[in-house]
Amino acid sequence: MNGRIAGLVGGLLGVAASSAAVAGLVRARRGGEDPYAGEPLGELVPSRSSTVAADDGVALAVEEVDPERGGRPELTVVLVHGFALSRRSWHFQRKQLAKLTGPRVRQVLYDHRSHGRSARAIPGSARISQLARDLDAVIRAVAPDGPLVLVGHSLGGMTIMELARIHPELFAERVRGVALLATSAGDVGAHGLPRSALSPRNPVPKGVGRLADWQPGFVELVRTAGDGVTRRLTRRLSFGPGEVSPALVRFMTDMLAVTGVAELTEFLNTLGQHNRYAALAGLKHSSVLVLSGDADRLLPFEHAERIAAELPDAELVRAPGAGHMVLLEQPDLVNACLIGLLQRCADGRIEKEKA
């Protein structure tokens, strides 16, 4: 493989694939127990599926989920996934939010271009700025009116920030709430992942020592159950230091396998250039939740603190011991915080109607 592939997937945003050896290692730590062994991860059936055309014609795979118990939704929640993942990564959030009755919510989930079931990005379009326009296209197509809550994990959070920059009127008029999970507004190389790992010109590191610094999840090595050190580092950067369900590890592997390494490398430049602190001003009309794990080795908690410093009214939540995949690793905490945000947004609607 050439330097354009170096360091892309496992080192970038915590969705490093894992091998059967990693799953076996984690299973051994749990004494054979796996709390999610029977969980249908990523297999929940949507209420509706559709395809939305982006402004440049790229086909985006979209799903909608209605309230499980019926009734008119008070809010539409749009879930925007992270790099190298897919809409399936929201399994636990999607499952819990569908059961809500206070407030009832309709969920919209979709795959970024070059991810999941969406079409591959056309040349030159693998940029956060384009992802924000894709998000806007999805909202216009399947949620054209009514109050919104936008929830973004990692790259998804960056996408929401850019949308706030290019369409501040949407946030002023419709976006009641925003949740930013394990994400960053810029300076990605300042903490956690080295900036050099984001350069498509970065040469393949020589030797295990350099590989251990920033390339623990090199996809092809992991998929072929390569070096044992690489497997351990993949596990180390994907999750926090505690025990992790082997089923979750396999689930991540399945998601990652859908999107090719070549497609993912196209996003390196935009991630390395990401700086949207100024765009956070566009969230001033929304109730904001900022949540991150304090064991996230890729986008450490300092990134969440910096976002919260720019948004003094935001709720900042530290997930103790969680890694980058906090939405899978600590779903109960994430769900509780999201439900609290949704309730605040619904209460805000009621207060405005009474005023």
Side-chain angles (χ1 to χ4, degrees):
M1 291 188 178
N2 59 33
R4 298 187 67 87
I5 299 179
L8 171 65
V9 175
L12 191 50
L13 293 181
V15 290
S18 182
S19 64
V22 179
L25 174 64
V26 178
R27 185 180 298 107
R29 293 180 62 190
R30 295 195 59 88
E33 295 182 12
D34 186 345
Y36 297 122
E39 183 73 23
L41 294 166
E43 298 178 7
L44 299 176
V45 178
S47 303
R48 289 172 298 284
S49 298
S50 61
T51 299
V52 171
D55 58 6
D56 60 359
V58 170
L60 305 172
V62 179
E63 292 183 348
E64 299 172 64
V65 180
D66 293 331
E68 190 173 287
R69 300 180 184 179
R72 182 177 179 179
E74 299 177 54
L75 302 165
T76 295
V77 181
V78 184
L79 299 156
V80 192
H81 69 78
F83 177 77
L85 297 172
S86 74
R87 68 197 182 286
R88 299 170 65 210
S89 63
W90 296 108
H91 175 85
F92 294 112
Q93 291 68 47
R94 170 177 170 171
K95 184 177 180 180
Q96 186 63 36
L97 296 185
K99 298 176 181 178
L100 275 184
T101 56
R104 286 180 171 82
V105 300
R106 179 171 70 104
Q107 300 177 69
V108 173
L109 307 93
Y110 72 101
D111 291 332
H112 291 304
R113 59 181 55 210
S114 291
H115 290 71
R117 293 181 180 175
S118 290
R120 182 171 180 175
I122 62 176
S125 72
R127 304 188 303 270
I128 293 173
S129 57
Q130 180 60 58
L131 297 184
R133 292 194 290 273
D134 292 350
L135 172 55
D136 182 54
V138 170
I139 291 173
R140 285 187 283 108
V142 300
D145 50 46
L148 300 168
V149 175
L150 307 182
V151 182
H153 170 244
S154 201
L155 177 62
M158 301 174 191
T159 300
I160 292 171
M161 296 174 204
E162 173 64 7
L163 182 63
R165 187 190 71 81
I166 62 176
H167 288 303
E169 74 285 353
L170 177 67
F171 288 75
E173 298 169 3
R174 295 186 58 201
V175 179
R176 296 273 175 79
V178 171
L180 302 173
L181 311 180
T183 191
S184 171
D187 299 321
V188 173
H191 304 285
L193 182 69
R195 188 176 299 278
S196 60
L198 299 171
S199 172
R201 294 182 294 276
N202 193 17
V204 177
K206 303 296 182 181
V208 173
R210 289 191 63 191
L211 182 66
D213 286 339
W214 56 266
Q215 198 163 275
F218 200 99
V219 174
E220 298 304 329
L221 291 179
V222 176
R223 282 179 177 169
T224 56
D227 182 77
V229 173
T230 300
R231 294 198 301 269
R232 289 194 296 272
L233 286 169
T234 296
R235 164 64 182 81
R236 180 170 176 259
L237 291 192
S238 298
F239 300 98
E243 296 175 340
V244 178
S245 159
L248 293 183
V249 177
R250 290 193 296 271
F251 180 42
M252 289 178 58
T253 303
D254 291 343
M255 281 191 288
L256 183 62
V258 172
T259 306
V261 174
E263 288 92 330
L264 296 178
T265 58
E266 298 171 355
F267 288 89
L268 284 177
N269 278 336
T270 192
L271 287 160
Q273 297 168 3
H274 172 59
N275 186 336
R276 287 173 173 81
Y277 285 107
L280 295 175
L283 306 182
K284 62 184 178 181
H285 300 288
S286 306
S287 180
V288 180
L289 165 69
V290 182
L291 185 152
S292 184
D294 62 11
D296 190 334
R297 297 179 181 276
L298 299 167
L299 293 177
F301 195 72
E302 288 90 336
H303 287 282
E305 292 178 312
R306 176 71 189 276
I307 293 172
E310 298 288 333
L311 297 168
D313 294 329
E315 177 187 11
L316 176 62
V317 177
R318 179 192 298 264
H324 192 65
M325 296 305 299
V326 62
L327 69 170
L328 293 178
E329 194 171 3
Q330 294 191 16
D332 291 343
L333 173 63
V334 173
N335 290 349
C337 292
L338 288 178
I339 290 171
L341 174 66
L342 294 172
Q343 290 173 339
R344 292 193 296 275
C345 292
D347 290 344
R349 174 188 60 79
I350 294 171
E351 291 173 1
K352 287 180 181 180
E353 288 180 353
K354 289 181 177 180

